[in-house]
């Protein structure tokens, strides 16, 4: 059903001497306007090899190639334009989609290869930030895209559950905290202790020594320190789980930084054996000058290990445990240097699989163009954002469809879906502003708009007493349907592109285009009229719902059947 292949097959016999199949695959374009056909072949490259004018070559090709698969093939200046046979295209496209249903677009590119995805990874005793939200939803979508393309993703929440901050937290809790307060609202109170610590240690620097000592105790397995840490961790995790549940995201592993405590000695030994560790200003480092990078900090003078050491241990552990074909890290762009260092150190250690490590960075969510930060306590609480989104969605549903059953369920699917979609429709590296009212609107470039379009298509299917059949004619040749058909046929390639770029926005943008095109069709075409094309139109509507729902599902967004 790959129509581009038909174009290649038509050109190949005449041009194979100069252009390989691959090369053809790369040069064949989709013209901006459908007046110029469905595919275009630019002849410039060929013109160079043949020392002839591109215009002449285009004319020669049109005269030579077999045109039976096409409505027509014409030369337009230096281009050969191919117009697909609408009837065949329509029938084949609709049949393929209806038969495959939610498996439409599945492709086995990964052959089941394991791909760990380090995602979300918030820090214990601190709120999940908008940055962690981005990591969670981008990682989740990439995992779904990987599954769709035949890989086996492993979603790992590399919790920030270790580090010197736990020394500070223990000191602060012992001085100012209460058990009841932590039980009541763990994240808020633990954060308060931590903030207070940073205020007071300005005047009382001895607090820092105490904190260091407590972290050392923790690293040495002291009982009191370990119990407190364990408790902070499990209380925090309970809070995080609430949010993951709202987002519909599940993890395969919660092995956080602490999990690697007993795996660090080996890393240090390996580094020593390879003569890579050097002392510098009281710390052990790996010099990375030849990579143009700052040195990687491995161990402090008191023996305490660092974020980097734990990531080295984690990378090695993941290779040994999962035998990955690729290892992904969905982490904000501000940690780019960290991941470059990580790869460089692994390379220095002689691991050639270091190249399979891929950092997938993303930009910031801003408020009026400014970064949101935890340090000043300026943190937007994710749970509140999601609840507000649900409330806004509910208000709109009440207004548009007051008799809708299951309003709460649908409001949740729309509100949460809106927040996820808004995040994923932007190129991941772009910074973007977050304005909840915009995000939850039913019109414009929003998740609710795509969901609403799908629900509308579903209601057409419900209304028709006839259901479509695969045996009847499925040919639609009018222009409005044609634009939709071409988008539908594109879907497998769209998924491939999203995979190649690790860019869920490719799918989000596609779903917006398809929704828009369908609404245009719906506005101009009477669908439920009993004429010979009714079956074809219903099949088209059904196919649109299949693809919209599949695209939304790859983003981790639900598709309410009514809203
Ligand atoms: N906990 C870190 C943070 O919030 C993110 C961890 C990312 N994953 C990793 N393997 N380093 O900044």
């Amino acid at each position: 059903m790959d129509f581009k292949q038909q174009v290649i097959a038509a050109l190949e016999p005449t041009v194979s001497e100069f252009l390989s199949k691959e090369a053809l695959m790369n040069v064949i374009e989709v013209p901006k306007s459908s007046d110029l056909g469905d595919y275009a072949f630019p002849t410039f490259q060929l013109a160079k090899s043949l020392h002839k004018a591109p215009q002449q070559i285009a004319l020669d090709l049109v005269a030579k190639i077999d045109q039976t698969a096409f409505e027509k093939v014409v030369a337009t200046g230096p281009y050969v334009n191919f117009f697909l046979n609408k009837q065949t295209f329509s029938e084949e496209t609709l049949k393929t989609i209806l038969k495959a249903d939610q498996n439409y677009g599945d492709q086995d590119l990964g052959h089941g290869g394991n791909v760990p995805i380090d995602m979300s990874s918030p820090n214990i005793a601190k709120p999940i930030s908008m940055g962690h939200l981005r990591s969670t939803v981008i990682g989740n979508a990439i995992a779904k895209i990987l599954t769709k393309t035949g890989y086996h993703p492993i979603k790992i929440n590399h919790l920030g559950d270790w580090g010197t901050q736990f020394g500070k937290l223990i000191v602060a809790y012992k001085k100012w905290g209460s058990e009841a307060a932590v039980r009541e609202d763990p994240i808020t109170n633990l954060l308060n202790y931590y903030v207070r610590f940073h205020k007071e240690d300005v005047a009382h620097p001895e607090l820092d020594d105490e904190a260091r000592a407590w972290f050392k105790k923790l690293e040495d397995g002291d009982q009191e320190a370990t119990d407190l840490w364990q408790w902070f961790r499990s209380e925090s995790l309970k809070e995080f789980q609430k949010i993951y549940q709202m987002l519909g995201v599940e993890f395969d592993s919660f092995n956080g930084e602490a999990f690697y405590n007993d795996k660090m000695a080996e890393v240090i030994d390996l580094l020593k054996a390879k003569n890579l560790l050097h002392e510098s200003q009281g710390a052990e480092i790996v010099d990375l000058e030849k990579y143009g990078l700052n040195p990687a900090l491995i161990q402090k003078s008191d023996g305490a290990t660092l974020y980097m050491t734990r990531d080295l241990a984690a990378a090695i552990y993941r290779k040994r445990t999962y035998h990955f074909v690729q290892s992904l890290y969905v982490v904000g762009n501000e940690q780019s240097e960290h991941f470059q260092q990580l790869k460089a150190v692994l390379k220095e250690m002689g691991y050639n699989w270091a190249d399979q490590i891929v950092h997938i960075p993303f930009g910031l969510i801003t408020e009026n163009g400014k970064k949101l930060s935890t340090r000043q306590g300026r943190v937007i609480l994710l749970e509140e954002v999601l609840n507000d989104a649900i409330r806004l969605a509910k208000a709109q549903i009440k207004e548009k469809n007051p008799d809708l059953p299951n309003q709460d369920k649908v409001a949740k699917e729309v509100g949460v879906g809106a927040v996820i979609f808004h995040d994923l429709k932007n190129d991941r590296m772009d910074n973007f502003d977050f304005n909840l009212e915009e995000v939850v609107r039913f019109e414009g470039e929003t998740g609710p708009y795509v969901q609403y379009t799908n629900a509308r298509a579903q209601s057409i299917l419900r209304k028709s007493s006839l259901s479509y059949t695969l045996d009847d004619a499925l040919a639609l040749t009018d222009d409005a349907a044609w634009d939709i058909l071409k988008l539908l046929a594109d879907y497998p390639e769209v998924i491939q592109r999203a995979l190649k770029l690790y860019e869920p926005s490719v799918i989000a943008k596609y779903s917006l285009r398809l929704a828009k095109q369908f609404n245009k069709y719906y506005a101009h075409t009477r669908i439920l009229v009993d004429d010979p094309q009714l079956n074809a139109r219903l099949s088209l509507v059904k196919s649109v719902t299949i693809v919209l729902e599949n695209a939304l599902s790859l983003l981790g967004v639900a598709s309410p059947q009514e809203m």
Side-chain angles (χ1 to χ4, degrees), residues 118 121-123 132 158 160 257 307 311 329 331 335 338-339:
D118 189 306
S121 311
N123 301 317
H132 296 119
H158 188 79
E257 294 187 39
Y307 184 54
D311 258 331
Y329 295 77
V331 184
Q335 294 194 30
H338 170 76
F339 286 101

Side-chain angles (χ1 to χ4, degrees), residues 307-357:
Y307 184 54
M308 175 63 79
T309 332
R310 294 187 279 277
D311 258 331
L312 286 167
I316 295 167
Y317 175 83
R318 286 173 197 173
K319 186 67 194 180
R320 286 178 186 161
T321 309
Y322 305 117
H323 309 285
F324 55 67
V325 293
Q326 224 159 40
S327 184
L328 310 182
Y329 295 77
V330 186
V331 184
N333 189 35
E334 66 278 7
Q335 294 194 30
S336 280
E337 178 163 32
H338 170 76
F339 286 101
Q340 285 170 12
Q341 291 172 324
L342 176 66
K343 284 178 80 159
V345 176
L346 289 168
K347 250 188 210 158
E348 286 297 284
M349 291 172 86
Y351 294 120
N352 54 8
W353 50 261
D355 288 326
Q356 294 171 328
I357 286 186

